[in-house]
Amino acid sequence: MEAKKVEFLKLIDRALDVGNTMLDTGYPSSDRLNNLINQLKQIKAATISDRLEPSGGTVTLGLAREVADWIENLDSPLLKAVGAIEIYYQQQL
């Protein structure tokens, strides 16, 4: 697998870890968090199977915007993790 995809998958896994930890500790917006985790899993599967559309430097995945709508702390590790995914997607894929 190409190095850019491997790095992208690592960023997704990091965000999944943060999200799952939040679920395990009883985060109050668990429905929205579960939706995000499912989206991340779908993006991961699409990346592995080469079905993820390239950004072309303009398209985003919409993850950071979605999380920012419901996350309580804008300095959240989850928001930082999905923000890193968005930046990498736009700049590298």
Side-chain angles (χ1 to χ4, degrees):
M1 189 179 294
E2 121 184 24
K4 287 182 180 183
K5 286 185 182 179
V6 170
E7 185 60 30
F8 187 64
L9 291 171
K10 286 179 184 177
L11 292 172
I12 292 171
D13 286 338
R14 190 171 306 132
L16 284 169
D17 287 344
V18 172
N20 284 320
T21 299
M22 289 172 70
L23 276 179
D24 292 344
T25 59
Y27 189 77
S29 296
S30 60
D31 288 341
R32 293 183 124 179
L33 185 53
N34 278 320
N35 288 337
L36 174 69
I37 289 170
N38 288 332
Q39 284 180 294
L40 289 168
K41 288 177 180 177
Q42 290 172 358
I43 293 167
K44 183 177 179 176
T47 302
I48 291 169
S49 64
D50 292 324
R51 292 181 289 119
L52 185 67
E53 295 293 324
S55 165
T58 57
V59 176
T60 70
L61 298 168
L63 299 172
R65 180 180 174 187
E66 178 187 339
V67 173
D69 285 346
W70 55 264
I71 199 83
E72 294 170 3
N73 179 0
L74 292 180
D75 196 31
S76 162
L78 182 62
L79 187 54
K80 289 178 183 179
V82 296
I85 292 169
E86 291 283 11
I87 291 168
Y88 195 87
Y89 176 67
Q90 276 198 309
Q91 294 177 353
Q92 302 297 325
L93 300 178

Coordinates of all heavy atoms in Angstrom, one line a residue:
M1 N 0.9 -1.2 0.0 CA 0.0 0.0 0.0 C 0.9 1.2 0.0 O 1.9 1.3 0.7 CB -0.9 0.0 1.2 CG -2.0 1.0 1.2 SD -3.1 1.0 2.7 CE -3.9 -0.6 2.4
E2 N 0.5 2.2 -0.7 CA 1.3 3.4 -0.9 C 1.4 4.2 0.5 O 0.5 4.1 1.3 CB 0.7 4.3 -2.0 CG 0.3 5.6 -1.7 CD -0.4 6.3 -2.9 OE1 -0.9 5.7 -3.8 OE2 -0.4 7.5 -2.9
A3 N 2.5 4.8 0.7 CA 2.8 5.5 2.0 C 1.8 6.5 2.4 O 1.5 6.6 3.6 CB 4.2 6.1 1.9
K4 N 1.3 7.3 1.5 CA 0.3 8.3 1.8 C -1.0 7.6 2.4 O -1.6 8.2 3.3 CB -0.1 9.1 0.6 CG 1.0 10.1 0.2 CD 0.6 11.0 -1.0 CE 1.7 11.9 -1.3 NZ 1.3 12.8 -2.4
K5 N -1.4 6.5 1.8 CA -2.6 5.9 2.3 C -2.3 5.3 3.7 O -3.2 5.3 4.5 CB -3.0 4.8 1.3 CG -3.7 5.3 0.1 CD -4.2 4.2 -0.8 CE -4.8 4.8 -2.0 NZ -5.3 3.8 -2.9
V6 N -1.2 4.7 3.9 CA -0.8 4.2 5.2 C -0.9 5.2 6.2 O -1.4 5.0 7.3 CB 0.6 3.5 5.1 CG1 1.1 3.1 6.5 CG2 0.6 2.3 4.2
E7 N -0.3 6.4 6.0 CA -0.3 7.5 6.9 C -1.8 8.0 7.2 O -2.2 8.2 8.3 CB 0.5 8.7 6.4 CG 0.6 9.8 7.4 CD 1.3 9.4 8.7 OE1 2.1 8.5 8.8 OE2 0.9 10.1 9.7
F8 N -2.6 8.0 6.1 CA -4.0 8.4 6.2 C -4.7 7.5 7.1 O -5.5 7.8 8.0 CB -4.6 8.5 4.8 CG -6.0 9.1 4.8 CD1 -6.2 10.4 5.2 CD2 -7.1 8.3 4.4 CE1 -7.5 10.9 5.2 CE2 -8.3 8.8 4.3 CZ -8.6 10.1 4.7
L9 N -4.5 6.2 6.9 CA -5.1 5.1 7.7 C -4.7 5.2 9.2 O -5.5 5.0 10.1 CB -4.8 3.8 7.2 CG -5.5 3.4 5.8 CD1 -5.0 2.1 5.3 CD2 -7.0 3.4 5.9
K10 N -3.5 5.6 9.5 CA -3.0 5.8 10.8 C -3.8 7.0 11.5 O -4.1 6.9 12.7 CB -1.5 6.1 10.9 CG -0.6 4.9 10.6 CD 0.8 5.3 10.7 CE 1.7 4.1 10.3 NZ 3.1 4.5 10.3
L11 N -4.0 8.0 10.7 CA -4.8 9.2 11.3 C -6.2 8.7 11.6 O -6.8 9.1 12.6 CB -4.7 10.3 10.3 CG -3.4 11.0 10.1 CD1 -3.5 12.0 8.9 CD2 -2.9 11.7 11.4
I12 N -6.8 7.9 10.7 CA -8.1 7.5 11.0 C -8.2 6.6 12.2 O -9.1 6.7 13.1 CB -8.7 6.7 9.7 CG1 -8.9 7.7 8.6 CG2 -10.0 6.0 10.1 CD1 -9.2 7.0 7.2
D13 N -7.2 5.7 12.3 CA -7.1 4.8 13.5 C -7.0 5.6 14.8 O -7.6 5.2 15.8 CB -6.0 3.8 13.3 CG -6.3 2.7 12.4 OD1 -7.5 2.4 12.1 OD2 -5.4 2.0 11.9
R14 N -6.2 6.7 14.7 CA -6.0 7.5 15.9 C -7.4 8.1 16.3 O -7.7 8.2 17.5 CB -5.0 8.6 15.6 CG -4.6 9.3 16.9 CD -3.4 10.3 16.6 NE -2.2 9.5 16.0 CZ -1.5 9.9 15.0 NH1 -1.8 11.1 14.4 NH2 -0.5 9.2 14.5
A15 N -8.1 8.6 15.3 CA -9.4 9.2 15.6 C -10.4 8.2 16.1 O -11.2 8.5 17.0 CB -10.0 9.9 14.4
L16 N -10.3 7.0 15.6 CA -11.2 5.9 16.1 C -10.9 5.6 17.5 O -11.8 5.4 18.3 CB -11.1 4.7 15.2 CG -11.8 4.7 13.8 CD1 -11.3 3.6 12.9 CD2 -13.3 4.7 14.0
D17 N -9.6 5.6 17.8 CA -9.2 5.3 19.2 C -9.7 6.3 20.2 O -10.3 6.0 21.3 CB -7.7 5.2 19.4 CG -7.1 3.9 18.8 OD1 -7.8 3.0 18.5 OD2 -5.9 3.9 18.5
V18 N -9.6 7.6 19.8 CA -10.1 8.7 20.6 C -11.6 8.6 20.8 O -12.2 8.7 21.9 CB -9.7 10.1 20.1 CG1 -10.4 11.2 20.8 CG2 -8.2 10.3 20.1
G19 N -12.3 8.3 19.7 CA -13.8 8.2 19.7 C -14.2 7.1 20.6 O -15.2 7.2 21.4
N20 N -13.6 5.9 20.4 CA -14.0 4.7 21.2 C -13.7 5.0 22.7 O -14.5 4.5 23.5 CB -13.3 3.5 20.7 CG -13.9 3.0 19.4 OD1 -15.1 3.0 19.2 ND2 -13.1 2.6 18.5
T21 N -12.6 5.6 23.0 CA -12.3 6.0 24.4 C -13.4 6.9 25.0 O -13.8 6.7 26.1 CB -10.9 6.6 24.5 OG1 -9.9 5.7 24.0 CG2 -10.6 7.0 26.0
M22 N -13.8 7.8 24.2 CA -14.9 8.7 24.6 C -16.2 7.9 24.9 O -16.9 8.2 25.9 CB -15.2 9.8 23.6 CG -14.0 10.8 23.6 SD -14.2 12.0 22.2 CE -15.6 13.0 22.8
L23 N -16.5 7.0 24.0 CA -17.7 6.1 24.2 C -17.6 5.3 25.5 O -18.5 5.2 26.3 CB -17.9 5.2 23.1 CG -18.6 5.7 21.8 CD1 -18.7 4.6 20.8 CD2 -20.0 6.2 22.2
D24 N -16.4 4.8 25.7 CA -16.1 3.9 26.9 C -16.3 4.7 28.2 O -16.6 4.1 29.2 CB -14.7 3.3 26.8 CG -14.6 2.2 25.7 OD1 -15.7 1.8 25.2 OD2 -13.5 1.9 25.4
T25 N -16.0 6.0 28.2 CA -16.1 6.8 29.4 C -17.5 7.5 29.5 O -17.6 8.3 30.4 CB -15.0 7.9 29.4 OG1 -15.1 8.7 28.2 CG2 -13.6 7.2 29.4
G26 N -18.4 7.1 28.6 CA -19.8 7.6 28.8 C -20.0 9.0 28.3 O -20.8 9.8 28.8
Y27 N -19.4 9.3 27.1 CA -19.6 10.6 26.5 C -21.1 10.8 26.3 O -21.8 10.0 25.7 CB -18.8 10.8 25.2 CG -18.8 12.2 24.7 CD1 -18.0 13.1 25.2 CD2 -19.7 12.5 23.6 CE1 -18.1 14.4 24.8 CE2 -19.7 13.8 23.1 CZ -18.9 14.8 23.7 OH -18.9 16.1 23.2
P28 N -21.7 12.0 26.6 CA -23.1 12.2 26.6 C -23.7 12.2 25.1 O -24.9 11.9 25.0 CB -23.3 13.6 27.2 CG -22.0 14.2 27.3 CD -21.0 13.1 27.2
S29 N -23.0 12.7 24.1 CA -23.5 12.7 22.8 C -23.2 11.4 22.0 O -22.6 11.4 20.9 CB -23.0 13.9 22.0 OG -23.4 15.1 22.6
S30 N -23.5 10.3 22.6 CA -23.0 9.0 22.1 C -23.6 8.7 20.7 O -23.0 8.0 19.9 CB -23.3 7.9 23.0 OG -24.7 7.8 23.3
D31 N -24.9 9.2 20.4 CA -25.4 8.9 19.0 C -24.6 9.6 18.0 O -24.2 9.0 17.0 CB -26.9 9.4 19.0 CG -27.8 8.6 19.7 OD1 -27.5 7.4 20.0 OD2 -28.9 9.1 20.0
R32 N -24.2 10.8 18.2 CA -23.4 11.6 17.2 C -22.0 11.0 17.2 O -21.4 10.9 16.1 CB -23.4 13.0 17.6 CG -24.8 13.7 17.4 CD -24.7 15.1 17.7 NE -25.3 15.8 16.5 CZ -25.4 17.1 16.4 NH1 -25.0 17.9 17.4 NH2 -25.9 17.6 15.3
L33 N -21.5 10.6 18.3 CA -20.2 10.0 18.3 C -20.2 8.6 17.6 O -19.3 8.3 16.8 CB -19.7 9.8 19.8 CG -18.3 9.3 20.0 CD1 -17.3 10.1 19.3 CD2 -18.0 9.3 21.5
N34 N -21.2 7.8 17.8 CA -21.3 6.6 17.1 C -21.4 6.8 15.5 O -20.8 6.1 14.8 CB -22.6 5.8 17.5 CG -22.3 5.0 18.8 OD1 -21.2 4.4 18.9 ND2 -23.2 5.0 19.7
N35 N -22.2 7.9 15.1 CA -22.3 8.2 13.7 C -20.9 8.5 13.2 O -20.5 8.1 12.0 CB -23.2 9.3 13.5 CG -24.7 8.9 13.7 OD1 -25.0 7.7 13.6 ND2 -25.5 9.9 13.9
L36 N -20.1 9.3 13.9 CA -18.8 9.7 13.5 C -17.9 8.5 13.3 O -17.2 8.3 12.3 CB -18.1 10.7 14.4 CG -16.7 11.0 14.1 CD1 -16.6 11.8 12.8 CD2 -16.1 11.8 15.3
I37 N -17.9 7.6 14.3 CA -17.1 6.4 14.3 C -17.5 5.5 13.1 O -16.6 5.0 12.4 CB -17.3 5.6 15.6 CG1 -16.6 6.3 16.7 CG2 -16.7 4.2 15.5 CD1 -16.8 5.8 18.1
N38 N -18.8 5.4 12.8 CA -19.2 4.7 11.6 C -18.7 5.3 10.3 O -18.3 4.7 9.4 CB -20.7 4.5 11.5 CG -21.2 3.6 12.6 OD1 -20.5 2.6 13.0 ND2 -22.5 3.8 13.0
Q39 N -18.7 6.7 10.2 CA -18.2 7.4 9.1 C -16.7 7.1 8.9 O -16.2 6.9 7.8 CB -18.4 8.9 9.2 CG -19.8 9.4 9.0 CD -19.9 10.9 9.1 OE1 -19.8 11.4 10.2 NE2 -20.2 11.5 8.0
L40 N -16.0 7.2 10.0 CA -14.5 6.9 9.9 C -14.3 5.5 9.4 O -13.4 5.3 8.6 CB -13.9 7.1 11.3 CG -13.8 8.6 11.8 CD1 -13.4 8.6 13.3 CD2 -12.8 9.4 11.0
K41 N -15.1 4.5 9.9 CA -14.9 3.1 9.4 C -15.2 3.0 7.9 O -14.5 2.3 7.2 CB -15.8 2.2 10.2 CG -15.3 2.0 11.7 CD -16.3 1.1 12.4 CE -15.8 0.9 13.9 NZ -16.8 0.1 14.7
Q42 N -16.2 3.7 7.5 CA -16.5 3.7 6.0 C -15.4 4.4 5.2 O -15.0 3.8 4.1 CB -17.8 4.4 5.8 CG -19.0 3.7 6.3 CD -20.3 4.5 6.2 OE1 -20.3 5.7 5.8 NE2 -21.4 3.9 6.6
I43 N -14.8 5.5 5.7 CA -13.7 6.1 5.0 C -12.5 5.2 5.0 O -11.8 5.1 4.0 CB -13.4 7.5 5.6 CG1 -14.6 8.4 5.4 CG2 -12.1 8.1 5.1 CD1 -14.5 9.7 6.3
K44 N -12.3 4.5 6.1 CA -11.2 3.6 6.2 C -11.3 2.5 5.1 O -10.4 2.1 4.4 CB -11.0 3.0 7.6 CG -9.9 2.1 7.8 CD -9.7 1.6 9.2 CE -8.6 0.7 9.4 NZ -8.4 0.3 10.8
A45 N -12.5 1.9 5.1 CA -12.8 0.8 4.2 C -12.7 1.3 2.7 O -12.1 0.6 1.9 CB -14.2 0.2 4.4
A46 N -13.1 2.5 2.4 CA -13.0 3.0 1.1 C -11.6 3.3 0.7 O -11.2 3.1 -0.4 CB -13.8 4.3 1.0
T47 N -10.8 3.7 1.7 CA -9.4 3.9 1.4 C -8.6 2.6 1.1 O -7.9 2.5 0.2 CB -8.7 4.6 2.6 OG1 -9.4 5.9 2.9 CG2 -7.2 4.9 2.4
I48 N -8.9 1.6 1.9 CA -8.2 0.3 1.7 C -8.6 -0.3 0.4 O -7.7 -0.9 -0.3 CB -8.6 -0.6 2.9 CG1 -8.0 -0.1 4.2 CG2 -8.2 -2.1 2.6 CD1 -8.5 -0.8 5.5
S49 N -9.9 -0.1 0.0 CA -10.3 -0.7 -1.3 C -10.1 0.2 -2.5 O -10.7 0.0 -3.6 CB -11.7 -1.2 -1.2 OG -12.6 -0.1 -1.0
D50 N -9.4 1.3 -2.3 CA -9.1 2.3 -3.4 C -10.4 2.9 -3.9 O -10.5 3.2 -5.1 CB -8.3 1.7 -4.5 CG -6.9 1.4 -4.1 OD1 -6.3 2.2 -3.3 OD2 -6.3 0.3 -4.5
R51 N -11.4 3.1 -3.1 CA -12.7 3.7 -3.6 C -12.8 5.2 -3.0 O -13.8 5.8 -3.4 CB -13.9 2.9 -3.1 CG -14.0 1.5 -3.8 CD -15.2 0.8 -3.4 NE -15.0 0.3 -2.0 CZ -15.8 0.7 -0.9 NH1 -16.8 1.5 -1.1 NH2 -15.6 0.2 0.3
L52 N -11.9 5.7 -2.3 CA -12.0 7.0 -1.7 C -11.6 8.0 -2.9 O -10.6 7.9 -3.5 CB -11.1 7.2 -0.6 CG -11.2 8.6 0.1 CD1 -12.5 8.7 0.8 CD2 -10.0 8.7 1.2
E53 N -12.6 8.9 -3.1 CA -12.3 9.9 -4.2 C -11.2 10.9 -3.7 O -11.2 11.3 -2.5 CB -13.6 10.7 -4.4 CG -14.7 9.9 -5.0 CD -14.4 9.4 -6.4 OE1 -13.8 10.1 -7.2 OE2 -14.8 8.2 -6.7
P54 N -10.3 11.2 -4.6 CA -9.3 12.2 -4.2 C -9.9 13.6 -3.9 O -10.9 14.0 -4.5 CB -8.4 12.2 -5.4 CG -9.1 11.6 -6.6 CD -10.2 10.8 -6.0
S55 N -9.2 14.3 -3.1 CA -9.7 15.6 -2.7 C -9.4 16.7 -3.8 O -10.2 17.6 -4.0 CB -8.9 16.1 -1.4 OG -9.1 17.5 -1.3
G56 N -8.3 16.5 -4.5 CA -7.9 17.5 -5.5 C -7.6 18.9 -4.8 O -7.6 19.9 -5.5
G57 N -7.4 18.8 -3.5 CA -7.0 20.1 -2.8 C -8.2 20.9 -2.4 O -8.1 22.0 -1.8
T58 N -9.4 20.5 -2.8 CA -10.6 21.3 -2.5 C -11.7 20.6 -1.8 O -12.4 21.2 -1.0 CB -11.2 21.9 -3.8 OG1 -11.5 20.8 -4.7 CG2 -10.3 22.8 -4.6
V59 N -11.9 19.4 -2.0 CA -13.0 18.6 -1.4 C -12.6 18.2 0.0 O -11.4 17.9 0.3 CB -13.3 17.3 -2.2 CG1 -14.3 16.5 -1.5 CG2 -13.7 17.7 -3.6
T60 N -13.5 18.3 1.0 CA -13.3 17.8 2.3 C -14.2 16.6 2.6 O -15.1 16.3 1.9 CB -13.6 18.9 3.4 OG1 -15.0 19.1 3.4 CG2 -12.8 20.2 3.1
L61 N -13.9 16.0 3.7 CA -14.7 14.9 4.2 C -15.9 15.3 5.1 O -16.8 14.6 5.3 CB -13.9 13.8 4.9 CG -12.7 13.2 4.1 CD1 -11.8 12.5 5.0 CD2 -13.3 12.3 3.0
G62 N -15.8 16.5 5.5 CA -16.9 17.1 6.4 C -16.8 16.7 7.8 O -17.7 16.9 8.6
L63 N -15.8 16.0 8.2 CA -15.7 15.4 9.6 C -15.5 16.5 10.6 O -16.2 16.5 11.6 CB -14.5 14.4 9.7 CG -14.6 13.2 8.8 CD1 -13.3 12.4 8.8 CD2 -15.8 12.3 9.2
A64 N -14.5 17.4 10.4 CA -14.2 18.5 11.4 C -15.4 19.4 11.6 O -15.8 19.7 12.7 CB -13.0 19.2 11.0
R65 N -16.1 19.7 10.5 CA -17.3 20.6 10.7 C -18.4 19.9 11.5 O -19.0 20.5 12.3 CB -17.8 20.9 9.3 CG -19.0 21.8 9.3 CD -19.5 22.2 7.9 NE -20.7 22.9 8.0 CZ -21.4 23.2 7.0 NH1 -21.0 22.9 5.8 NH2 -22.5 23.9 7.2
E66 N -18.6 18.6 11.2 CA -19.6 17.9 11.9 C -19.3 17.8 13.4 O -20.2 18.1 14.2 CB -19.8 16.5 11.3 CG -20.8 15.7 12.1 CD -20.8 14.2 11.6 OE1 -20.4 13.9 10.5 OE2 -21.3 13.4 12.5
V67 N -18.1 17.5 13.7 CA -17.7 17.3 15.1 C -17.8 18.7 15.8 O -18.2 18.8 17.0 CB -16.3 16.7 15.3 CG1 -15.8 16.7 16.7 CG2 -16.3 15.3 14.7
A68 N -17.3 19.7 15.1 CA -17.4 21.1 15.7 C -18.8 21.5 16.1 O -19.0 22.3 17.0 CB -16.7 22.1 14.8
D69 N -19.8 20.9 15.4 CA -21.2 21.3 15.6 C -21.7 20.7 17.0 O -22.6 21.3 17.6 CB -22.1 20.7 14.5 CG -22.0 21.5 13.3 OD1 -21.5 22.6 13.3 OD2 -22.5 21.0 12.2
W70 N -21.1 19.6 17.5 CA -21.6 19.0 18.7 C -20.6 18.8 19.8 O -21.0 18.5 20.9 CB -22.3 17.7 18.4 CG -21.5 16.7 17.7 CD1 -21.5 16.4 16.3 CD2 -20.6 15.7 18.3 NE1 -20.6 15.4 16.0 CE2 -20.1 15.0 17.2 CE3 -20.2 15.4 19.6 CZ2 -19.2 13.9 17.4 CZ3 -19.3 14.4 19.8 CH2 -18.8 13.7 18.7
I71 N -19.4 18.9 19.5 CA -18.4 18.7 20.6 C -18.4 19.8 21.6 O -18.7 21.0 21.3 CB -16.9 18.5 20.0 CG1 -16.0 17.9 21.0 CG2 -16.4 19.9 19.6 CD1 -16.1 16.4 21.0
E72 N -18.3 19.5 22.9 CA -18.4 20.5 23.9 C -17.2 21.4 24.1 O -17.3 22.5 24.3 CB -18.7 19.8 25.3 CG -20.0 19.1 25.3 CD -20.2 18.2 26.5 OE1 -19.3 18.1 27.3 OE2 -21.2 17.5 26.6
N73 N -16.0 20.8 23.9 CA -14.8 21.5 24.0 C -14.1 21.6 22.6 O -13.7 20.6 22.1 CB -13.9 20.7 25.0 CG -12.6 21.4 25.3 OD1 -12.3 22.4 24.7 ND2 -11.8 20.8 26.1
L74 N -13.9 22.8 22.1 CA -13.3 22.9 20.8 C -11.8 22.6 20.8 O -11.2 22.6 19.8 CB -13.6 24.3 20.2 CG -15.0 24.6 19.9 CD1 -15.2 26.0 19.3 CD2 -15.6 23.6 18.9
D75 N -11.3 22.4 22.0 CA -9.9 22.0 22.1 C -9.8 20.4 22.3 O -8.8 19.9 22.8 CB -9.2 22.7 23.3 CG -7.7 22.6 23.2 OD1 -7.1 22.5 22.1 OD2 -7.1 22.6 24.3
S76 N -10.9 19.7 22.0 CA -11.0 18.3 22.2 C -10.0 17.5 21.3 O -9.7 17.8 20.2 CB -12.4 17.9 21.8 OG -12.5 16.5 21.6
P77 N -9.4 16.4 21.9 CA -8.5 15.6 21.1 C -9.3 15.0 19.9 O -8.6 14.7 18.9 CB -8.2 14.5 22.1 CG -8.4 15.1 23.5 CD -9.5 16.0 23.3
L78 N -10.6 14.7 20.0 CA -11.3 14.2 18.9 C -11.3 15.2 17.7 O -11.1 14.8 16.6 CB -12.7 13.8 19.3 CG -13.6 13.2 18.2 CD1 -12.9 11.9 17.7 CD2 -15.0 12.9 18.7
L79 N -11.6 16.4 18.0 CA -11.7 17.5 17.0 C -10.3 17.6 16.4 O -10.2 17.8 15.1 CB -12.2 18.8 17.6 CG -12.4 19.9 16.6 CD1 -13.3 19.5 15.4 CD2 -13.0 21.1 17.2
K80 N -9.3 17.6 17.2 CA -7.9 17.7 16.6 C -7.6 16.5 15.7 O -7.0 16.6 14.7 CB -6.9 17.7 17.8 CG -6.9 19.0 18.5 CD -5.9 19.0 19.6 CE -6.0 20.3 20.4 NZ -5.1 20.4 21.5
A81 N -8.0 15.3 16.1 CA -7.8 14.1 15.3 C -8.5 14.1 14.0 O -7.9 13.8 12.9 CB -8.2 12.8 16.1
V82 N -9.8 14.5 14.0 CA -10.5 14.6 12.7 C -10.0 15.8 11.9 O -10.0 15.7 10.6 CB -12.0 14.6 12.9 CG1 -12.5 13.3 13.5 CG2 -12.5 15.8 13.6
G83 N -9.6 16.8 12.5 CA -8.9 17.9 11.8 C -7.7 17.5 11.1 O -7.4 17.9 9.9
A84 N -6.9 16.7 11.7 CA -5.7 16.2 11.1 C -6.0 15.3 9.9 O -5.3 15.3 8.8 CB -4.8 15.4 12.1
I85 N -7.1 14.5 10.0 CA -7.5 13.7 8.8 C -7.9 14.6 7.7 O -7.5 14.4 6.5 CB -8.7 12.8 9.2 CG1 -8.3 11.8 10.2 CG2 -9.4 12.2 8.0 CD1 -9.4 11.0 10.9
E86 N -8.7 15.7 8.0 CA -9.1 16.6 6.9 C -7.9 17.3 6.2 O -7.9 17.4 5.0 CB -10.1 17.7 7.5 CG -11.4 17.1 7.9 CD -12.4 16.9 6.8 OE1 -12.0 16.9 5.6 OE2 -13.5 16.6 7.1
I87 N -7.0 17.7 7.0 CA -5.8 18.4 6.4 C -5.0 17.5 5.6 O -4.7 17.8 4.4 CB -4.9 19.0 7.6 CG1 -5.7 20.2 8.2 CG2 -3.6 19.4 7.0 CD1 -5.0 20.7 9.5
Y88 N -4.8 16.3 6.1 CA -4.0 15.3 5.3 C -4.8 14.9 4.0 O -4.1 14.9 2.9 CB -3.7 14.0 6.1 CG -2.7 13.2 5.5 CD1 -1.3 13.4 5.8 CD2 -3.0 12.1 4.6 CE1 -0.3 12.6 5.2 CE2 -2.0 11.4 4.1 CZ -0.7 11.6 4.4 OH 0.3 10.9 3.8
Y89 N -6.0 14.7 4.1 CA -6.8 14.4 2.9 C -6.7 15.5 1.9 O -6.5 15.2 0.7 CB -8.3 14.2 3.3 CG -9.2 13.9 2.2 CD1 -9.1 12.7 1.4 CD2 -10.2 14.8 1.8 CE1 -10.0 12.5 0.4 CE2 -11.1 14.5 0.8 CZ -11.0 13.4 0.1 OH -11.8 13.1 -1.0
Q90 N -6.9 16.7 2.3 CA -6.8 17.8 1.3 C -5.4 18.0 0.7 O -5.3 18.3 -0.5 CB -7.3 19.1 1.9 CG -8.8 19.3 1.9 CD -9.2 20.7 2.2 OE1 -8.7 21.3 3.1 NE2 -10.1 21.2 1.3
Q91 N -4.4 17.8 1.5 CA -3.1 18.1 1.0 C -2.4 17.0 0.4 O -1.5 17.2 -0.4 CB -2.2 18.6 2.2 CG -2.7 20.0 2.7 CD -1.9 20.4 3.9 OE1 -1.0 19.7 4.5 NE2 -2.2 21.7 4.4
Q92 N -2.7 15.7 0.7 CA -2.0 14.6 0.2 C -2.8 13.6 -0.6 O -2.1 12.8 -1.3 CB -1.4 13.8 1.4 CG -0.6 14.6 2.4 CD 0.7 15.1 1.7 OE1 1.3 14.4 0.8 NE2 1.1 16.3 2.1
L93 N -4.1 13.6 -0.6 CA -4.8 12.6 -1.4 C -5.7 13.3 -2.4 O -6.0 14.4 -2.4 CB -5.7 11.8 -0.4 CG -5.0 11.0 0.7 CD1 -6.0 10.3 1.5 CD2 -4.0 10.0 0.1

